[in-house]
């Protein structure tokens, strides 16, 4: 056979070596072959002697026969004195040595086999998210997976998908959390009222009752203001000028909306978005938006003028399937977290593909950032792990696991790096923000679940200003909060005139303002923020 005709590239070299070895002259093969040759010669001599004996016995007694008998007697004497061995002269312990490191790495890179007994026809959904849904407020649905006999599954890893369809047929994004005990949570927020539907599928098959009909109600205007502009609820929401230096008009109303402008509507053309998520800002005065469902990155000037966009939908290197995070490297390269392709793509400043990293390691990268060493910080939402790579793709370190401990995450989203080269991570389902050293040691943790000052309902985007203040997008509460470097609440970035709906990534522009992806409104917004 020819090994290279049917073996994977990674193992063809090993197969070729195995095939060549029997052709080499090895000592144990020579010993055994010589012994076989000797036995074959002995067998031939015995057969010849037997033939001579038969001929002598069949003939008449004469001088010739007596001579033949004498010769046969001598021959048999010689054979008897040979002392042919009855056992092989070489032992039978043979070892086959394989060079398997390359093959083992190849198998590891293929992934792991994951199995579950969950079936769609027996699995069920429950929770308030199927009953009462309010515009702009997160709703939660719990899915309980069951096996074919109706018994509750005790482990996770089932492939569950969830889609909320709006009346016009578009899809509202949400988050699925695998609790690893057979139950899953889907959290979503809808931007307007109307009749929606929720499709819950297990391995591409609808679970019991799916698709579900949802009726989304709008809260009263007063309640909406309380929910969407929390700065009007509490005295503590007034921005401290000493902390942020934002000038205030002398007015009886302490609340001033900080919105400068908004860009975008729902659509697929330039300047339009469908589920925008990650945001980055370059030192050259550009704003980059990861337009997730349009499979592209759009680039604008700080003033809001559209410049360009790039990205082709697909699952091959250089293509984008679900870009969720974006960052700009000091070299000018654009770094994109591709959630569905499970890798991070690197493009040059003009949008030309250069390389990818993390393939085979990442499960669902959500956010990306760059530290002061030029290393790429990747927040893996599915693996609940933070990875740090060199730009070449070499893994520097990783930390974090699933859970609610100090060094654990539950669906982490985005990351930022402060002046101390520490990594700030938003822990979505643990409703907190955590700060780590580059080695993964916890430095600071702040936040709890709620609607008050300093509380979160699923934080997403995060950025740090030159003074070390931390700016956080509070997704479930649809607001932006500002904290000092120790995690103490400072203020809100007020948005009462044009409320946010499910903000995702955010960044600080080179001219000192805050830009945020307002995913529920299919636009990005720029807010006044003087440092």
């Amino acid at each position: 056979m020819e090994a290279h005709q049917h073996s994977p590239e990674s193992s063809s070299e090993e197969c070729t070596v195995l095939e060549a070895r029997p052709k080499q002259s090895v000592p144990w093969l020579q010993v055994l072959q010589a012994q076989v040759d000797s036995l074959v010669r002995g067998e031939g001599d015995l057969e010849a002697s037997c033939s001579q004996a038969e001929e002598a016995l069949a003939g008449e007694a004469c001088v010739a026969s007596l001579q033949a008998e004498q010769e046969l007697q001598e021959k048999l004497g010689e054979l008897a004195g040979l002392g042919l061995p009855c056992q092989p002269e070489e032992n039978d312990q043979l070892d086959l040595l394989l060079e398997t490191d390359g093959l083992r790495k190849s198998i590891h890179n293929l992934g792991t086999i994951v199995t579950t007994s969950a079936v769609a026809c027996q699995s069920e959904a429950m929770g308030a998210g199927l009953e009462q849904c309010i515009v702009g407020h997160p709703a939660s649905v719990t899915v309980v997976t069951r096996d074919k006999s109706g018994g509750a599954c005790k482990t996770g890893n089932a492939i569950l998908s969830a889609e909320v369809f709006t009346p016009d047929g578009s899809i509202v994004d949400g988050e699925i959390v695998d609790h690893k005990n057979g139950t899953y949570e889907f959290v979503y927020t809808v931007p307007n009222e109307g009749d929606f539907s929720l499709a819950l599928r297990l391995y591409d098959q609808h679970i019991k009752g799916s698709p579900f009909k949802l009726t989304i109600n709008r809260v009263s205007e007063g309640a909406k203001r309380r929910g969407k502009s929390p700065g009007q609820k509490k005295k503590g929401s007034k921005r401290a000028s000493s902390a942020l230096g934002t000038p205030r008009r002398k007015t009886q109303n302490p609340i001033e909306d900080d919105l400068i402008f908004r860009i975008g509507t729902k659509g697929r053309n330039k300047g339009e978005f469908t589920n925008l998520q990650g945001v980055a800002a370059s030192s050259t005065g550009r704003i980059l938006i990861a337009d997730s469902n349009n499979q592209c990155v759009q680039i604008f000037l700080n003033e809001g003028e559209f410049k360009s966009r790039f990205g082709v939908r697909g699952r091959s290197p250089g293509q984008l399937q679900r870009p969720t995070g974006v960052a700009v490297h000091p070299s000018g390269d654009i770094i994109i977290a591709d959630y569905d392709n499970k890798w991070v793509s690197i493009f040059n400043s003009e949008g030309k593909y250069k390389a990818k990293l993390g393939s085979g390691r990442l499960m669902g990268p959500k956010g990306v950032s760059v530290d002061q060493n030029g290393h790429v910080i990747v927040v893996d939402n599915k693996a609940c792990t933070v990875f740090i790579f060199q730009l070449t793709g070499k893994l520097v370190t990783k930390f974090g696991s699933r859970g609610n401990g100090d060094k654990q995450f539950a669906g982490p989203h985005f990351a930022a790096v402060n002046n101390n080269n520490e990594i700030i991570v938003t822990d979505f389902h643990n409703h907190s923000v955590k700060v780590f050293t580059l080695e993964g040691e916890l430095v600071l943790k702040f936040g709890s679940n709620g609607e008050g000052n300093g509380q979160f309902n699923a934080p997403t985007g995060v950025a740090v200003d030159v003074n070390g203040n931390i700016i956080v997008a509070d997704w479930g509460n649809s607001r932006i909060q500002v904290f000092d470097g120790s995690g103490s609440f400072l203020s809100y970035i007020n948005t009462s005139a044009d409320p946010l709906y499910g903000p995702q990534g955010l960044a600080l522009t080179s001219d000192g303002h805050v830009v945020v992806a307002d995913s529920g409104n299919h636009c990005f917004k720029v807010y006044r923020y003087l440092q």
Side-chain angles (χ1 to χ4, degrees):
M1 68 174 181
E2 293 185 13
H4 64 274
Q5 291 181 345
H6 57 82
S7 300
E9 183 178 348
S10 58
S11 58
S12 62
E13 181 179 350
E14 294 163 10
C15 293
T16 304
V17 171
L18 286 176
E19 190 174 4
R21 282 176 179 165
K23 298 176 183 178
Q24 298 174 356
S25 178
V26 291
W28 60 265
L29 184 60
Q30 291 177 334
V31 172
L32 292 178
Q33 188 61 51
Q35 190 175 353
V36 169
D37 293 342
S38 176
L39 290 171
V40 170
R41 287 194 301 270
E43 181 186 18
D45 291 341
L46 286 172
E47 289 178 350
S49 298
C50 290
S51 298
Q52 292 178 8
E54 289 176 355
E55 292 174 1
L57 292 173
E60 297 180 359
C62 61
V63 175
S65 63
L66 290 175
Q67 184 178 357
E69 182 179 346
Q70 185 177 359
E71 291 175 356
L72 179 60
Q73 184 177 359
E74 292 175 357
K75 189 66 174 178
L76 290 174
E78 291 177 5
L79 291 172
L82 284 177
L84 296 174
C86 298
Q87 298 293 331
E89 293 179 0
E90 189 71 26
N91 67 59
D92 58 352
Q93 303 300 318
L94 303 178
D95 291 327
L96 178 62
L97 301 178
L98 295 177
E99 299 174 5
T100 59
D101 286 345
L103 182 60
R104 186 179 296 110
K105 291 178 181 178
S106 298
I107 294 174
H108 174 76
N109 288 337
L110 287 176
T112 57
I113 297 175
V114 178
T115 183
T116 173
S117 58
V119 295
C121 61
Q122 295 283 6
S123 299
E124 302 172 302
M126 59 191 70
L130 297 178
E131 302 167 0
Q132 295 182 344
C133 304
I134 300 175
V135 170
H137 287 249
S140 175
V141 176
T142 299
V143 177
V144 179
T145 55
R146 300 185 184 276
D147 59 28
K148 62 183 179 181
S149 301
C153 297
K154 302 298 184 182
T155 58
N157 297 320
I159 299 178
L160 181 73
S161 63
E163 295 172 312
V164 177
F165 294 92
T166 66
D168 62 4
S170 60
I171 299 175
V172 175
D173 192 39
E175 299 289 335
I176 297 176
V177 175
D178 181 355
H179 293 300
K180 300 298 182 180
N181 61 359
T183 67
Y184 303 77
E185 183 182 8
F186 175 58
V187 180
Y188 66 94
T189 301
V190 293
N192 46 52
E193 58 187 342
D195 293 327
F196 289 66
S197 66
L198 168 61
L200 292 170
R201 295 183 179 92
L202 189 66
Y203 298 108
D204 291 328
Q205 296 183 357
H206 286 281
I207 69 170
K208 278 186 178 180
S210 177
F212 302 91
K213 292 183 178 180
L214 306 176
T215 301
I216 312 301
N217 299 316
R218 183 176 295 276
V219 297
S220 66
E221 287 303 311
K224 176 181 174 182
R225 282 195 299 271
R226 287 194 299 272
K228 293 304 171 184
S229 185
Q232 299 185 20
K233 296 201 305 183
K234 301 177 183 291
K235 293 181 179 180
S237 65
K238 183 177 179 180
R239 177 170 301 174
S241 58
S242 60
L244 298 178
T246 303
R248 290 288 174 191
R249 292 193 299 264
K250 293 181 182 287
T251 172
Q252 297 298 320
N253 182 4
I255 300 304
E256 175 186 330
D257 201 289
D258 297 306
L259 180 64
I260 300 174
F261 63 84
R262 58 177 282 172
I263 297 291
T265 57
K266 185 176 182 181
R268 296 190 174 277
N269 298 317
K270 62 181 184 180
E272 298 177 341
F273 306 98
T274 307
N275 188 26
L276 67 170
Q277 295 202 28
V279 175
S282 74
S283 59
T284 57
R286 296 191 174 194
I287 296 170
L288 294 84
I289 307 292
D291 192 358
S292 180
N293 286 16
N294 285 334
Q295 291 86 26
C296 69
V297 169
Q298 300 200 45
I299 302 176
F300 300 80
L301 296 181
N302 282 352
E303 297 76 24
E305 178 187 349
F306 174 85
K307 291 299 295 181
S308 64
R309 70 174 179 177
F310 65 90
V312 177
R313 179 179 182 177
R315 296 187 179 275
S316 300
Q319 297 178 326
L320 301 174
Q321 190 63 25
R322 191 183 177 192
T324 52
V326 61
V328 180
H329 194 271
S331 65
D333 288 340
I334 300 170
I335 303 166
I336 302 172
D338 195 326
Y339 192 89
D340 283 355
N341 277 332
K342 301 179 182 179
W343 63 53
V344 172
S345 295
I346 301 173
F347 296 80
N348 68 12
S349 58
E350 303 302 319
K352 184 178 179 180
Y353 175 72
K354 296 180 66 174
K356 64 184 174 74
L357 58 84
S359 180
R361 294 183 183 271
L362 302 173
M363 296 174 62
K366 178 79 173 183
V368 286
S369 187
V370 180
D371 70 9
Q372 295 171 11
N373 300 318
H375 293 158
V376 180
I377 312 296
V378 183
V379 180
D380 194 323
N381 174 267
K382 276 193 176 180
C384 294
T385 302
V386 174
F387 291 83
I388 303 177
F389 294 95
Q390 293 181 359
L391 199 61
T392 59
K394 181 181 179 181
L395 179 65
V396 177
T397 189
K398 64 177 182 177
F399 60 87
S401 60
R402 184 178 299 278
N404 55 15
D406 287 346
K407 296 183 180 181
Q408 294 180 311
F409 305 103
H413 268 52
F414 294 96
V417 178
N418 65 16
N419 294 333
N420 297 324
N421 214 19
E422 296 166 334
I423 304 171
I424 304 168
V425 183
T426 51
D427 196 352
F428 190 85
H429 290 285
N430 282 330
H431 311 290
S432 60
V433 173
K434 297 175 180 177
V435 183
F436 298 89
T437 65
L438 293 178
E439 292 74 32
E441 295 300 319
L442 182 71
V443 176
L444 173 67
K445 171 186 175 183
F446 61 91
S448 60
N449 191 13
E451 298 181 356
N453 296 344
Q455 293 185 310
F456 301 110
N457 188 353
T460 47
V462 61
V464 185
D465 69 17
V466 294
N467 299 315
N469 295 323
I470 302 170
I471 309 160
V472 182
D474 189 357
W475 181 78
N477 288 323
S478 288
R479 63 188 183 183
I480 300 172
Q481 299 191 66
V482 183
F483 302 83
D484 66 17
S486 63
S488 297
F489 173 80
L490 293 178
S491 66
Y492 294 101
I493 294 178
N494 298 300
T495 60
S496 57
D498 189 0
L500 292 163
Y501 288 104
Q504 290 263 1
L506 59 77
L508 278 167
T509 63
S510 58
D511 55 358
H513 299 315
V514 171
V515 54
V516 62
D518 190 353
S519 61
N521 286 320
H522 309 289
C523 67
F524 71 87
K525 294 175 177 176
V526 175
Y527 295 96
R528 186 175 297 104
Y529 182 88
L530 301 179
Q531 301 172 28

